[in-house]
């Protein structure tokens, strides 16, 4: 049997050949996390392989087994050299990081263990050695050694770049068999909040009412609503509990649900009496967006909402949505009508939306546009400060985070956002564990495209898997988090977006994919910060 070390920027498939490499050198700032892999390939016999890691204080090390999930088709519209694992796909793809230190491997089979190294902010600068041992059927293999250099530099918090992934409370309710209004829900959701923070996210979507996204969803409504003779009454207690739970775990900004339906703001969202226990809607779902019944609701809700936000000191830490992904002239008209009504009823509210059509920004209908990566540079060039997003598209050379997107390409995310002057990042799928646009729960370990391929690519709907006591990370999620660390690192080092060291990045499609490119610029940033210490 062979065993070797590799970086966290490569995938190893069941048929990947054996390699060599008993040691690996890495470098990081204090306060950073980094990852390596211990990989092994069996000979002609099955083996029970146990892994262990030995690290000196004060390093905190977590070892997990890299699991495989099925990928029946590769991502469409993408050249082979921008697909990782092309020689092994369709097939099994490494992705979930399972809380296990043992694997039962078959003959001529490759498996990996993922080792995450957390460096405390107050760690002593210097050199550390981390030993990793693999034992096959009780027989220990030669040890593997990670040589870690901890710099004097300390990683500071990322500034002025909010990050959000839409959070599906309904998926947690269905998977763990709890309801949003039950006390049993909170021990379920809190590990997921902590997971977001641990991966660089600072903003959380709040299901004030059932998000009008991705089809008709099960009632998931924090806001308690009652209605009596034309007067609405609001119970904010569960909303407040969600906010306080998120804040206690490190989330600092709040993204409130869309005020109108997806793709053009044609209708109000589905809002229920109570918390949706009886699925009793307050108005017919085909009501018009600016209909008297919804206008009456908003005229009472929006002032109460503002009072709640001010009382909780949230107004300056909130993002508001109108309608998701409007496009074209028809949507422009309906979006405009809804925006005019909001200007009248809530002049204090600024709105942000995922929209790729620059005409919405030119018409000054959105305060914070969030264009797709394909048009995001055009928004910046036209003088519209904008966030950026990707989802099931774009594909090809563009940055994305599918199961066959090269991990080194995903690691470039933070660099691309910085270079292209994005003001924030949004992704739609943190934990969408449903069949596409239905309320039918899937097993994410078996179905990774929400049964949506080719429109939805494998890996797009979620970046974490459900575990028995919280989220199970994916390789993609870990690497994306490291890319956000890189963003903070070069930000604090004072690198300008137009620095010649970033000149190789032209846009979100034309950029380096070489880990050595990242390593060279990280060395520069670490040296800059070392000099400041």
């Amino acid at each position: 049997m062979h065993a070797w070390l590799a970086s966290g920027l490569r995938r190893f498939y069941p048929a990947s050949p054996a390699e060599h490499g008993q040691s690996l050198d890495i470098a990081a700032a204090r306060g950073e996390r980094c990852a390596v892999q211990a990989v092994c390939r069996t000979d002609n016999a099955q083996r029970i392989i146990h892994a262990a890691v030995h690290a000196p204080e004060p390093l905190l090390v977590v070892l997990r087994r890299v699991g495989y999930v099925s990928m029946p088709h590769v991502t469409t519209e993408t050249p082979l050299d921008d697909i990782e694992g092309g020689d092994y796909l369709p097939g099994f793809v490494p992705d979930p990081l399972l809380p296990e230190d043992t694997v039962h491997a078959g003959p001529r089979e490759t498996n990996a263990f993922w080792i995450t190294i957390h460096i405390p902010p107050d760690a002593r600068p210097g050199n550390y050695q981390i030993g990793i041992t693999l034992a096959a059927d009780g027989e220990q293999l030669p040890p593997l050694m990670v040589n870690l250099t901890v710099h004097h530099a300390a990683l500071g918090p990322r500034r002025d770049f909010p990050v959000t992934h839409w959070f599906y409370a309904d998926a947690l309710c269905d998977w763990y068999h709890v309801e949003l209004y039950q006390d049993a829900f909170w021990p379920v959701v809190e590990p997921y909040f902590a997971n977001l923070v641990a991966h660089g996210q600072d903003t959380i979507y709040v299901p004030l009412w059932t998000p009008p996204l991705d089809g008709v969803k099960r009632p998931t409504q924090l806001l308690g609503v009652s209605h009596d003779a034309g007067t609405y009454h609001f119970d904010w207690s569960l909303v407040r509990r969600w906010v306080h739970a998120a804040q206690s775990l490190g989330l600092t900004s709040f993204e409130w649900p869309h005020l109108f339906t997806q793709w053009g703001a044609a209708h109000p969202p589905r809002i229920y009496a109570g918390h949706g226990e009886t699925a009793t809607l307050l108005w017919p779902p085909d009501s018009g967006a600016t209909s008297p019944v919804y206008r009456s609701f908003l005229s009472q809700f929006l002032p109460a909402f503002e009072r709640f936000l001010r009382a909780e000191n949230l107004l300056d830490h909130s993002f508001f949505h109108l309608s998701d992904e409007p496009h074209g002239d028809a949507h422009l008209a309906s979006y405009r009508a809804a925006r005019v009504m909001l200007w009248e009823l809530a002049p204090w509210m600024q709105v942000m939306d995922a929209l790729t059509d620059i005409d919405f920004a030119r018409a000054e209908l959105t305060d914070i546009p969030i264009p797709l990566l394909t048009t995001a540079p055009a928004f910046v060039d036209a003088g519209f400060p904008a966030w950026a997003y990707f989802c099931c598209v774009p594909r090809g050379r563009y940055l994305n985070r599918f199961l066959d997107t090269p991990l080194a390409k995903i690691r470039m995310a933070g660099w691309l956002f910085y270079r292209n002057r994005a003001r924030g990042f949004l992704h739609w799928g943190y934990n969408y564990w449903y069949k596409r646009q239905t309320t039918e729960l899937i097993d994410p370990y078996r179905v990774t495209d929400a049964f949506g391929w080719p429109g939805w690519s494998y890996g797009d709907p979620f970046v974490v898997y459900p575990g028995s006591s919280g989220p199970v990370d994916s390789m993609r999620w870990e690497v994306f988090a490291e890319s956000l660390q890189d963003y903070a690192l070069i930000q604090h080092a004072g690198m300008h977006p137009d620095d010649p060291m970033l000149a190789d990045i032209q846009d979100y499609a034309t950029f380096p994919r070489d880990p050595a490119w990242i390593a060279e610029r990280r060395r520069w940033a670490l040296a800059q910060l070392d000099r400041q210490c």
Side-chain angles (χ1 to χ4, degrees):
M1 196 178 87
H2 297 275
W4 66 97
L5 285 172
S7 80
L9 296 182
R10 293 179 59 196
R11 292 183 176 94
F12 292 91
Y13 302 82
S16 290
E19 298 183 8
H20 300 282
Q22 300 300 113
S23 66
L24 187 67
D25 298 334
I26 59 176
R30 293 181 293 156
E32 277 198 296
R33 58 192 282 178
C34 47
V36 299
Q37 295 180 83
V39 195
C40 53
R41 183 165 178 82
T42 53
D43 51 15
N44 292 324
Q46 63 173 332
R47 304 283 186 185
I48 296 177
I49 304 165
H50 178 78
V53 60
H54 313 278
E57 293 184 349
L59 302 180
L60 305 174
V61 178
V62 178
L63 182 147
R64 292 170 285 185
R65 180 173 72 85
V66 179
Y68 291 114
V69 292
S70 175
M71 189 172 185
H73 310 280
V74 297
T75 299
T76 61
E77 305 166 38
T78 303
L80 187 59
D81 61 351
D82 250 341
I83 287 178
E84 186 168 4
D87 292 339
Y88 307 105
L89 299 176
F92 287 107
V93 180
D95 196 51
L97 302 180
L98 305 169
E100 302 171 6
D101 59 9
T102 300
V103 61
H104 190 169
R108 299 176 301 281
E109 182 178 302
T110 298
N111 286 275
F113 294 92
W114 185 276
I115 298 96
T116 302
I117 305 163
H118 298 261
I119 305 160
D122 58 354
R124 173 186 55 81
N127 297 318
Y128 296 81
Q129 287 192 322
I130 301 160
I132 302 163
T133 57
L134 299 179
D137 298 321
E139 180 181 349
Q140 186 168 306
L141 300 177
L144 306 172
M145 189 66 65
V146 177
N147 302 307
L148 168 66
T149 299
V150 175
H151 283 254
H152 286 81
L155 183 69
R158 189 181 69 247
R159 299 188 302 260
D160 303 322
F161 187 80
V163 172
T164 185
H165 294 74
W166 285 346
F167 190 94
Y168 293 88
D170 52 344
L172 298 189
C173 291
D174 284 338
W175 188 268
Y176 294 99
H177 306 294
V178 295
E179 292 296 340
L180 204 62
Y181 46 82
Q182 296 175 337
D183 285 342
F185 172 77
W186 301 97
V188 168
V189 75
E190 287 172 357
Y192 285 86
F193 286 170
N195 180 267
L196 292 172
V197 174
H199 290 79
Q201 180 161 323
D202 54 7
T203 303
I204 181 69
Y205 196 103
V206 184
L208 193 64
W209 50 69
T210 307
L213 303 166
D214 309 306
V216 177
K217 306 175 70 61
R218 71 181 321 273
T220 315
Q221 182 174 309
L222 289 171
L223 182 67
V225 185
S226 59
H227 182 246
D228 179 29
T231 301
Y232 291 95
H233 306 278
F234 306 106
D235 178 0
W236 298 92
S237 56
L238 289 182
V239 185
R240 189 175 292 108
R241 187 170 183 178
W242 178 284
V243 167
H244 291 177
Q247 289 175 326
S248 71
L249 292 165
L251 291 157
T252 57
S253 296
F254 298 87
E255 187 183 3
W256 301 95
H258 296 70
L259 290 159
F260 301 88
T261 51
Q262 199 169 24
W263 303 310
H267 306 288
R270 292 171 180 254
I271 301 180
Y272 298 87
H275 296 286
E277 302 94 329
T278 63
T280 302
L281 286 166
L282 297 179
W283 44 75
D286 59 353
S287 300
T290 58
S291 60
V293 64
Y294 190 48
R295 185 182 181 97
S296 174
F297 173 83
L298 287 180
S299 68
Q300 297 175 61
F301 164 74
L302 290 171
F305 188 28
E306 183 184 11
R307 289 192 296 271
F308 170 79
L309 294 174
R310 292 191 184 278
E312 295 292 327
N313 194 30
L314 295 176
L315 193 57
D316 293 333
H317 304 279
S318 290
F319 299 106
F320 308 100
H321 288 293
L322 195 153
S323 171
D324 185 45
E325 293 186 323
H327 53 276
D329 291 342
H331 289 182
L332 185 64
S334 56
Y335 193 96
R336 186 192 306 275
R339 189 69 184 100
V340 167
M341 186 168 72
L342 286 183
W343 277 325
E344 295 172 2
L345 299 178
W348 51 270
M349 179 182 285
Q350 292 191 326
V351 300
M352 59 182 276
D353 276 314
L355 47 84
T356 300
D357 188 340
I358 200 170
D359 286 342
F360 286 78
R362 289 179 176 142
E364 300 181 347
L365 297 178
T366 179
D367 301 287
I368 306 173
I370 310 176
L372 200 64
L373 299 189
T374 51
T375 62
F379 278 73
V380 175
D381 292 344
F384 300 116
W387 288 29
Y389 86 104
F390 55 72
C391 56
C392 48
V393 291
R395 304 179 190 184
R397 298 294 185 191
Y398 281 93
L399 172 69
N400 218 306
R401 202 170 52 199
F402 305 136
L403 281 177
D404 56 5
T405 302
L407 291 176
K409 184 175 180 179
I410 296 173
R411 181 63 184 266
M412 285 296 296
W415 301 85
L416 299 183
F417 298 145
Y418 193 83
R419 166 70 165 142
N420 288 294
R421 292 176 168 82
R423 297 293 185 92
F425 173 74
L426 178 149
H427 189 273
W428 77 277
Y430 172 70
N431 62 324
Y432 187 83
W433 302 327
Y434 290 102
K435 182 178 179 181
R436 180 179 180 175
Q437 295 187 342
T438 74
T439 57
E440 180 183 333
L441 201 65
I442 60 170
D443 180 351
Y445 294 93
R446 296 179 180 273
V447 179
T448 57
D449 67 333
F451 290 112
W453 186 88
W456 290 8
S457 291
Y458 294 91
D460 193 42
F462 54 85
V463 289
V464 295
Y465 299 79
S468 59
S469 58
V472 170
D473 291 325
S474 67
M475 296 174 71
R476 296 168 295 123
W477 189 222
E478 293 286 285
V479 171
F480 187 80
E482 290 185 359
S483 85
L484 295 179
Q485 283 186 161
D486 291 343
Y487 185 106
L489 188 70
I490 58 177
Q491 184 181 56
H492 284 281
M495 183 180 285
H496 192 275
D498 291 331
D499 190 289
M501 294 186 74
L502 300 180
D504 293 334
I505 299 174
Q506 297 182 27
D507 54 28
Y508 290 104
T510 305
F511 57 89
R513 276 87 162 147
D514 185 358
W517 186 96
I518 299 172
E520 179 182 352
R521 282 142 186 84
R522 278 183 53 84
R523 280 193 294 270
W524 176 89
L526 289 167
Q528 289 291 109
L529 291 174
D530 281 346
R531 285 193 285 270
Q532 298 174 18
C533 295

